[in-house]
PDB file of all heavy atoms in Angstrom:
ATOM      1  N   SER A 168      -5.299  14.424   5.704  1.00  0.00           N
ATOM      2  CA  SER A 168      -6.143  13.749   4.716  1.00  0.00           C
ATOM      3  C   SER A 168      -7.547  13.576   5.311  1.00  0.00           C
ATOM      4  O   SER A 168      -7.761  13.805   6.510  1.00  0.00           O
ATOM      5  CB  SER A 168      -5.524  12.417   4.306  1.00  0.00           C
ATOM      6  OG  SER A 168      -5.236  11.657   5.435  1.00  0.00           O
ATOM      7  N   VAL A 169      -8.470  13.152   4.466  1.00  0.00           N
ATOM      8  CA  VAL A 169      -9.874  13.053   4.883  1.00  0.00           C
ATOM      9  C   VAL A 169     -10.013  12.147   6.109  1.00  0.00           C
ATOM     10  O   VAL A 169     -10.767  12.441   7.036  1.00  0.00           O
ATOM     11  CB  VAL A 169     -10.741  12.535   3.715  1.00  0.00           C
ATOM     12  CG1 VAL A 169     -12.163  12.230   4.179  1.00  0.00           C
ATOM     13  CG2 VAL A 169     -10.781  13.556   2.586  1.00  0.00           C
ATOM     14  N   GLY A 170      -9.247  11.051   6.137  1.00  0.00           N
ATOM     15  CA  GLY A 170      -9.311  10.105   7.246  1.00  0.00           C
ATOM     16  C   GLY A 170      -8.909  10.712   8.583  1.00  0.00           C
ATOM     17  O   GLY A 170      -9.294  10.209   9.640  1.00  0.00           O
ATOM     18  N   ASP A 171      -8.135  11.814   8.561  1.00  0.00           N
ATOM     19  CA  ASP A 171      -7.704  12.461   9.807  1.00  0.00           C
ATOM     20  C   ASP A 171      -8.821  13.288  10.445  1.00  0.00           C
ATOM     21  O   ASP A 171      -8.812  13.532  11.649  1.00  0.00           O
ATOM     22  CB  ASP A 171      -6.510  13.391   9.553  1.00  0.00           C
ATOM     23  CG  ASP A 171      -5.289  12.623   9.098  1.00  0.00           C
ATOM     24  OD1 ASP A 171      -5.145  11.459   9.519  1.00  0.00           O
ATOM     25  OD2 ASP A 171      -4.495  13.177   8.318  1.00  0.00           O
ATOM     26  N   ILE A 172      -9.740  13.764   9.632  1.00  0.00           N
ATOM     27  CA  ILE A 172     -10.753  14.675  10.186  1.00  0.00           C
ATOM     28  C   ILE A 172     -12.170  14.087  10.122  1.00  0.00           C
ATOM     29  O   ILE A 172     -13.114  14.728  10.543  1.00  0.00           O
ATOM     30  CB  ILE A 172     -10.726  16.048   9.466  1.00  0.00           C
ATOM     31  CG1 ILE A 172     -11.106  15.915   7.986  1.00  0.00           C
ATOM     32  CG2 ILE A 172      -9.395  16.732   9.621  1.00  0.00           C
ATOM     33  CD1 ILE A 172     -11.473  17.239   7.355  1.00  0.00           C
ATOM     34  N   ALA A 173     -12.277  12.881   9.570  1.00  0.00           N
ATOM     35  CA  ALA A 173     -13.624  12.310   9.444  1.00  0.00           C
ATOM     36  C   ALA A 173     -13.572  10.786   9.475  1.00  0.00           C
ATOM     37  O   ALA A 173     -12.542  10.184   9.160  1.00  0.00           O
ATOM     38  CB  ALA A 173     -14.257  12.779   8.133  1.00  0.00           C
ATOM     39  N   ASP A 174     -14.687  10.207   9.881  1.00  0.00           N
ATOM     40  CA  ASP A 174     -14.831   8.752   9.786  1.00  0.00           C
ATOM     41  C   ASP A 174     -15.370   8.429   8.401  1.00  0.00           C
ATOM     42  O   ASP A 174     -16.298   9.083   7.934  1.00  0.00           O
ATOM     43  CB  ASP A 174     -15.838   8.243  10.820  1.00  0.00           C
ATOM     44  CG  ASP A 174     -15.236   8.176  12.204  1.00  0.00           C
ATOM     45  OD1 ASP A 174     -14.021   7.926  12.289  1.00  0.00           O
ATOM     46  OD2 ASP A 174     -15.969   8.396  13.177  1.00  0.00           O
ATOM     47  N   VAL A 175     -14.773   7.426   7.785  1.00  0.00           N
ATOM     48  CA  VAL A 175     -15.254   7.017   6.462  1.00  0.00           C
ATOM     49  C   VAL A 175     -15.766   5.588   6.589  1.00  0.00           C
ATOM     50  O   VAL A 175     -15.015   4.689   6.968  1.00  0.00           O
ATOM     51  CB  VAL A 175     -14.126   7.098   5.406  1.00  0.00           C
ATOM     52  CG1 VAL A 175     -14.676   6.765   4.033  1.00  0.00           C
ATOM     53  CG2 VAL A 175     -13.494   8.472   5.394  1.00  0.00           C
ATOM     54  N   LYS A 176     -17.055   5.427   6.343  1.00  0.00           N
ATOM     55  CA  LYS A 176     -17.664   4.102   6.514  1.00  0.00           C
ATOM     56  C   LYS A 176     -18.395   3.682   5.243  1.00  0.00           C
ATOM     57  O   LYS A 176     -18.813   4.538   4.454  1.00  0.00           O
ATOM     58  CB  LYS A 176     -18.664   4.138   7.673  1.00  0.00           C
ATOM     59  CG  LYS A 176     -17.997   4.335   9.024  1.00  0.00           C
ATOM     60  CD  LYS A 176     -19.040   4.453  10.102  1.00  0.00           C
ATOM     61  CE  LYS A 176     -18.380   4.763  11.447  1.00  0.00           C
ATOM     62  NZ  LYS A 176     -19.338   5.241  12.431  1.00  0.00           N
ATOM     63  N   GLN A 177     -18.581   2.400   5.135  1.00  0.00           N
ATOM     64  CA  GLN A 177     -19.333   1.893   3.988  1.00  0.00           C
ATOM     65  C   GLN A 177     -20.792   2.344   4.094  1.00  0.00           C
ATOM     66  O   GLN A 177     -21.382   2.334   5.178  1.00  0.00           O
ATOM     67  CB  GLN A 177     -19.268   0.363   3.961  1.00  0.00           C
ATOM     68  CG  GLN A 177     -19.999  -0.224   2.768  1.00  0.00           C
ATOM     69  CD  GLN A 177     -19.833  -1.735   2.662  1.00  0.00           C
ATOM     70  OE1 GLN A 177     -19.214  -2.361   3.521  1.00  0.00           O
ATOM     71  NE2 GLN A 177     -20.366  -2.297   1.612  1.00  0.00           N
ATOM     72  N   GLY A 178     -21.364   2.718   2.961  1.00  0.00           N
ATOM     73  CA  GLY A 178     -22.761   3.149   2.935  1.00  0.00           C
ATOM     74  C   GLY A 178     -23.630   2.077   2.304  1.00  0.00           C
ATOM     75  O   GLY A 178     -23.182   1.322   1.443  1.00  0.00           O
ATOM     76  N   GLU A 179     -24.877   2.044   2.769  1.00  0.00           N
ATOM     77  CA  GLU A 179     -25.804   1.040   2.216  1.00  0.00           C
ATOM     78  C   GLU A 179     -26.608   1.657   1.078  1.00  0.00           C
ATOM     79  O   GLU A 179     -27.268   2.691   1.252  1.00  0.00           O
ATOM     80  CB  GLU A 179     -26.746   0.564   3.320  1.00  0.00           C
ATOM     81  CG  GLU A 179     -27.500  -0.681   2.927  1.00  0.00           C
ATOM     82  CD  GLU A 179     -28.543  -1.065   3.966  1.00  0.00           C
ATOM     83  OE1 GLU A 179     -28.305  -0.800   5.165  1.00  0.00           O
ATOM     84  OE2 GLU A 179     -29.576  -1.599   3.564  1.00  0.00           O
ATOM     85  N   ILE A 180     -26.526   1.013  -0.075  1.00  0.00           N
ATOM     86  CA  ILE A 180     -27.192   1.549  -1.264  1.00  0.00           C
ATOM     87  C   ILE A 180     -28.630   1.040  -1.334  1.00  0.00           C
ATOM     88  O   ILE A 180     -28.898  -0.133  -1.110  1.00  0.00           O
ATOM     89  CB  ILE A 180     -26.418   1.133  -2.531  1.00  0.00           C
ATOM     90  CG1 ILE A 180     -25.092   1.884  -2.585  1.00  0.00           C
ATOM     91  CG2 ILE A 180     -27.221   1.410  -3.794  1.00  0.00           C
ATOM     92  CD1 ILE A 180     -24.193   1.472  -3.701  1.00  0.00           C
ATOM     93  N   GLU A 181     -29.511   1.975  -1.655  1.00  0.00           N
ATOM     94  CA  GLU A 181     -30.917   1.611  -1.800  1.00  0.00           C
ATOM     95  C   GLU A 181     -31.459   2.338  -3.037  1.00  0.00           C
ATOM     96  O   GLU A 181     -31.231   3.546  -3.196  1.00  0.00           O
ATOM     97  CB  GLU A 181     -31.668   2.077  -0.548  1.00  0.00           C
ATOM     98  CG  GLU A 181     -32.993   1.412  -0.351  1.00  0.00           C
ATOM     99  CD  GLU A 181     -33.700   1.947   0.897  1.00  0.00           C
ATOM    100  OE1 GLU A 181     -33.066   2.694   1.686  1.00  0.00           O
ATOM    101  OE2 GLU A 181     -34.870   1.632   1.055  1.00  0.00           O
ATOM    102  N   VAL A 182     -32.122   1.598  -3.909  1.00  0.00           N
ATOM    103  CA  VAL A 182     -32.710   2.221  -5.091  1.00  0.00           C
ATOM    104  C   VAL A 182     -34.226   2.123  -4.979  1.00  0.00           C
ATOM    105  O   VAL A 182     -34.787   1.029  -4.921  1.00  0.00           O
ATOM    106  CB  VAL A 182     -32.218   1.527  -6.388  1.00  0.00           C
ATOM    107  CG1 VAL A 182     -32.823   2.195  -7.608  1.00  0.00           C
ATOM    108  CG2 VAL A 182     -30.694   1.551  -6.480  1.00  0.00           C
ATOM    109  N   LYS A 183     -34.857   3.296  -4.901  1.00  0.00           N
ATOM    110  CA  LYS A 183     -36.324   3.324  -4.815  1.00  0.00           C
ATOM    111  C   LYS A 183     -36.835   3.911  -6.123  1.00  0.00           C
ATOM    112  O   LYS A 183     -36.696   5.123  -6.351  1.00  0.00           O
ATOM    113  CB  LYS A 183     -36.778   4.205  -3.662  1.00  0.00           C
ATOM    114  CG  LYS A 183     -36.396   3.683  -2.290  1.00  0.00           C
ATOM    115  CD  LYS A 183     -36.861   4.675  -1.225  1.00  0.00           C
ATOM    116  CE  LYS A 183     -36.323   4.305   0.137  1.00  0.00           C
ATOM    117  NZ  LYS A 183     -36.540   5.354   1.135  1.00  0.00           N
ATOM    118  N   GLY A 184     -37.381   3.063  -6.962  1.00  0.00           N
ATOM    119  CA  GLY A 184     -37.820   3.532  -8.281  1.00  0.00           C
ATOM    120  C   GLY A 184     -36.611   3.997  -9.063  1.00  0.00           C
ATOM    121  O   GLY A 184     -35.687   3.225  -9.317  1.00  0.00           O
ATOM    122  N   SER A 185     -36.592   5.278  -9.409  1.00  0.00           N
ATOM    123  CA  SER A 185     -35.432   5.789 -10.138  1.00  0.00           C
ATOM    124  C   SER A 185     -34.519   6.610  -9.224  1.00  0.00           C
ATOM    125  O   SER A 185     -33.596   7.267  -9.681  1.00  0.00           O
ATOM    126  CB  SER A 185     -35.889   6.652 -11.306  1.00  0.00           C
ATOM    127  OG  SER A 185     -36.548   7.789 -10.818  1.00  0.00           O
ATOM    128  N   GLU A 186     -34.795   6.568  -7.924  1.00  0.00           N
ATOM    129  CA  GLU A 186     -34.003   7.389  -7.003  1.00  0.00           C
ATOM    130  C   GLU A 186     -33.004   6.545  -6.223  1.00  0.00           C
ATOM    131  O   GLU A 186     -33.303   5.435  -5.796  1.00  0.00           O
ATOM    132  CB  GLU A 186     -34.942   8.117  -6.029  1.00  0.00           C
ATOM    133  CG  GLU A 186     -35.799   9.146  -6.737  1.00  0.00           C
ATOM    134  CD  GLU A 186     -36.732   9.876  -5.795  1.00  0.00           C
ATOM    135  OE1 GLU A 186     -36.996   9.354  -4.686  1.00  0.00           O
ATOM    136  OE2 GLU A 186     -37.202  10.958  -6.177  1.00  0.00           O
ATOM    137  N   LEU A 187     -31.834   7.152  -6.071  1.00  0.00           N
ATOM    138  CA  LEU A 187     -30.759   6.457  -5.366  1.00  0.00           C
ATOM    139  C   LEU A 187     -30.582   7.060  -3.973  1.00  0.00           C
ATOM    140  O   LEU A 187     -30.479   8.284  -3.826  1.00  0.00           O
ATOM    141  CB  LEU A 187     -29.454   6.594  -6.172  1.00  0.00           C
ATOM    142  CG  LEU A 187     -28.174   6.095  -5.523  1.00  0.00           C
ATOM    143  CD1 LEU A 187     -28.182   4.576  -5.364  1.00  0.00           C
ATOM    144  CD2 LEU A 187     -26.962   6.510  -6.347  1.00  0.00           C
ATOM    145  N   PHE A 188     -30.537   6.205  -2.981  1.00  0.00           N
ATOM    146  CA  PHE A 188     -30.294   6.632  -1.605  1.00  0.00           C
ATOM    147  C   PHE A 188     -29.107   5.858  -1.049  1.00  0.00           C
ATOM    148  O   PHE A 188     -28.930   4.684  -1.364  1.00  0.00           O
ATOM    149  CB  PHE A 188     -31.513   6.345  -0.712  1.00  0.00           C
ATOM    150  CG  PHE A 188     -32.717   7.171  -1.045  1.00  0.00           C
ATOM    151  CD1 PHE A 188     -33.571   6.792  -2.078  1.00  0.00           C
ATOM    152  CD2 PHE A 188     -32.993   8.330  -0.340  1.00  0.00           C
ATOM    153  CE1 PHE A 188     -34.684   7.549  -2.383  1.00  0.00           C
ATOM    154  CE2 PHE A 188     -34.108   9.096  -0.651  1.00  0.00           C
ATOM    155  CZ  PHE A 188     -34.953   8.714  -1.673  1.00  0.00           C
ATOM    156  N   VAL A 189     -28.307   6.542  -0.248  1.00  0.00           N
ATOM    157  CA  VAL A 189     -27.220   5.850   0.467  1.00  0.00           C
ATOM    158  C   VAL A 189     -27.381   6.171   1.947  1.00  0.00           C
ATOM    159  O   VAL A 189     -27.377   7.353   2.333  1.00  0.00           O
ATOM    160  CB  VAL A 189     -25.835   6.309  -0.044  1.00  0.00           C
ATOM    161  CG1 VAL A 189     -24.728   5.708   0.818  1.00  0.00           C
ATOM    162  CG2 VAL A 189     -25.639   5.915  -1.500  1.00  0.00           C
ATOM    163  N   ASP A 190     -27.528   5.158   2.753  1.00  0.00           N
ATOM    164  CA  ASP A 190     -27.796   5.324   4.196  1.00  0.00           C
ATOM    165  C   ASP A 190     -28.972   6.272   4.432  1.00  0.00           C
ATOM    166  O   ASP A 190     -28.940   7.119   5.340  1.00  0.00           O
ATOM    167  CB  ASP A 190     -26.543   5.850   4.917  1.00  0.00           C
ATOM    168  CG  ASP A 190     -25.582   4.729   5.269  1.00  0.00           C
ATOM    169  OD1 ASP A 190     -25.818   3.594   4.818  1.00  0.00           O
ATOM    170  OD2 ASP A 190     -24.587   4.992   5.985  1.00  0.00           O
ATOM    171  N   GLY A 191     -29.962   6.209   3.581  1.00  0.00           N
ATOM    172  CA  GLY A 191     -31.134   7.060   3.728  1.00  0.00           C
ATOM    173  C   GLY A 191     -30.961   8.473   3.181  1.00  0.00           C
ATOM    174  O   GLY A 191     -31.883   9.271   3.228  1.00  0.00           O
ATOM    175  N   ILE A 192     -29.766   8.784   2.665  1.00  0.00           N
ATOM    176  CA  ILE A 192     -29.523  10.129   2.108  1.00  0.00           C
ATOM    177  C   ILE A 192     -29.831  10.092   0.610  1.00  0.00           C
ATOM    178  O   ILE A 192     -29.290   9.244  -0.114  1.00  0.00           O
ATOM    179  CB  ILE A 192     -28.052  10.557   2.314  1.00  0.00           C
ATOM    180  CG1 ILE A 192     -27.684  10.510   3.795  1.00  0.00           C
ATOM    181  CG2 ILE A 192     -27.792  11.936   1.718  1.00  0.00           C
ATOM    182  CD1 ILE A 192     -26.194  10.594   4.050  1.00  0.00           C
ATOM    183  N   TYR A 193     -30.685  11.018   0.181  1.00  0.00           N
ATOM    184  CA  TYR A 193     -31.000  11.085  -1.251  1.00  0.00           C
ATOM    185  C   TYR A 193     -29.747  11.503  -2.025  1.00  0.00           C
ATOM    186  O   TYR A 193     -29.058  12.456  -1.645  1.00  0.00           O
ATOM    187  CB  TYR A 193     -32.123  12.100  -1.489  1.00  0.00           C
ATOM    188  CG  TYR A 193     -32.325  12.423  -2.941  1.00  0.00           C
ATOM    189  CD1 TYR A 193     -33.062  11.576  -3.755  1.00  0.00           C
ATOM    190  CD2 TYR A 193     -31.751  13.556  -3.511  1.00  0.00           C
ATOM    191  CE1 TYR A 193     -33.223  11.859  -5.099  1.00  0.00           C
ATOM    192  CE2 TYR A 193     -31.913  13.847  -4.855  1.00  0.00           C
ATOM    193  CZ  TYR A 193     -32.647  12.992  -5.642  1.00  0.00           C
ATOM    194  OH  TYR A 193     -32.808  13.256  -6.971  1.00  0.00           O
ATOM    195  N   VAL A 194     -29.471  10.775  -3.110  1.00  0.00           N
ATOM    196  CA  VAL A 194     -28.264  11.075  -3.888  1.00  0.00           C
ATOM    197  C   VAL A 194     -28.601  11.564  -5.292  1.00  0.00           C
ATOM    198  O   VAL A 194     -28.115  12.597  -5.739  1.00  0.00           O
ATOM    199  CB  VAL A 194     -27.329   9.844  -3.969  1.00  0.00           C
ATOM    200  CG1 VAL A 194     -26.117  10.139  -4.841  1.00  0.00           C
ATOM    201  CG2 VAL A 194     -26.874   9.420  -2.591  1.00  0.00           C
ATOM    202  N   SER A 195     -29.444  10.823  -5.999  1.00  0.00           N
ATOM    203  CA  SER A 195     -29.722  11.194  -7.391  1.00  0.00           C
ATOM    204  C   SER A 195     -31.004  10.518  -7.874  1.00  0.00           C
ATOM    205  O   SER A 195     -31.430   9.507  -7.316  1.00  0.00           O
ATOM    206  CB  SER A 195     -28.554  10.747  -8.273  1.00  0.00           C
ATOM    207  OG  SER A 195     -28.855  10.962  -9.625  1.00  0.00           O
ATOM    208  N   ASN A 196     -31.600  11.091  -8.902  1.00  0.00           N
ATOM    209  CA  ASN A 196     -32.723  10.402  -9.541  1.00  0.00           C
ATOM    210  C   ASN A 196     -32.411  10.085 -11.004  1.00  0.00           C
ATOM    211  O   ASN A 196     -33.289  10.011 -11.838  1.00  0.00           O
ATOM    212  CB  ASN A 196     -34.007  11.225  -9.408  1.00  0.00           C
ATOM    213  CG  ASN A 196     -33.944  12.517 -10.201  1.00  0.00           C
ATOM    214  OD1 ASN A 196     -32.883  12.912 -10.649  1.00  0.00           O
ATOM    215  ND2 ASN A 196     -35.075  13.174 -10.357  1.00  0.00           N
ATOM    216  N   LEU A 197     -31.114   9.934 -11.265  1.00  0.00           N
ATOM    217  CA  LEU A 197     -30.699   9.664 -12.648  1.00  0.00           C
ATOM    218  C   LEU A 197     -30.844   8.191 -13.036  1.00  0.00           C
ATOM    219  O   LEU A 197     -30.460   7.805 -14.129  1.00  0.00           O
ATOM    220  CB  LEU A 197     -29.244  10.097 -12.855  1.00  0.00           C
ATOM    221  CG  LEU A 197     -29.009  11.590 -13.101  1.00  0.00           C
ATOM    222  CD1 LEU A 197     -27.535  11.864 -13.304  1.00  0.00           C
ATOM    223  CD2 LEU A 197     -29.802  12.101 -14.291  1.00  0.00           C
ATOM    224  N   LEU A 198     -31.357   7.367 -12.118  1.00  0.00           N
ATOM    225  CA  LEU A 198     -31.484   5.943 -12.436  1.00  0.00           C
ATOM    226  C   LEU A 198     -32.879   5.655 -13.004  1.00  0.00           C
ATOM    227  O   LEU A 198     -33.607   4.790 -12.530  1.00  0.00           O
ATOM    228  CB  LEU A 198     -31.231   5.088 -11.186  1.00  0.00           C
ATOM    229  CG  LEU A 198     -29.939   5.390 -10.423  1.00  0.00           C
ATOM    230  CD1 LEU A 198     -29.806   4.481  -9.224  1.00  0.00           C
ATOM    231  CD2 LEU A 198     -28.730   5.243 -11.330  1.00  0.00           C
ATOM    232  N   GLY A 199     -33.246   6.400 -14.013  1.00  0.00           N
ATOM    233  CA  GLY A 199     -34.590   6.304 -14.569  1.00  0.00           C
ATOM    234  C   GLY A 199     -34.863   5.028 -15.336  1.00  0.00           C
ATOM    235  O   GLY A 199     -35.988   4.562 -15.399  1.00  0.00           O
TER     236      GLY A 199
END
Side-chain angles (χ1 to χ4, degrees):
Chain A
S168 52
V169 172
D171 295 329
I172 64 164
D174 282 328
V175 184
K176 292 176 185 164
Q177 182 175 3
E179 193 186 328
I180 290 175
E181 198 181 350
V182 181
K183 294 178 189 170
S185 65
E186 293 180 340
L187 172 67
F188 293 83
V189 173
D190 277 8
I192 303 166
Y193 169 81
V194 177
S195 174
N196 67 347
L197 279 181
L198 309 180

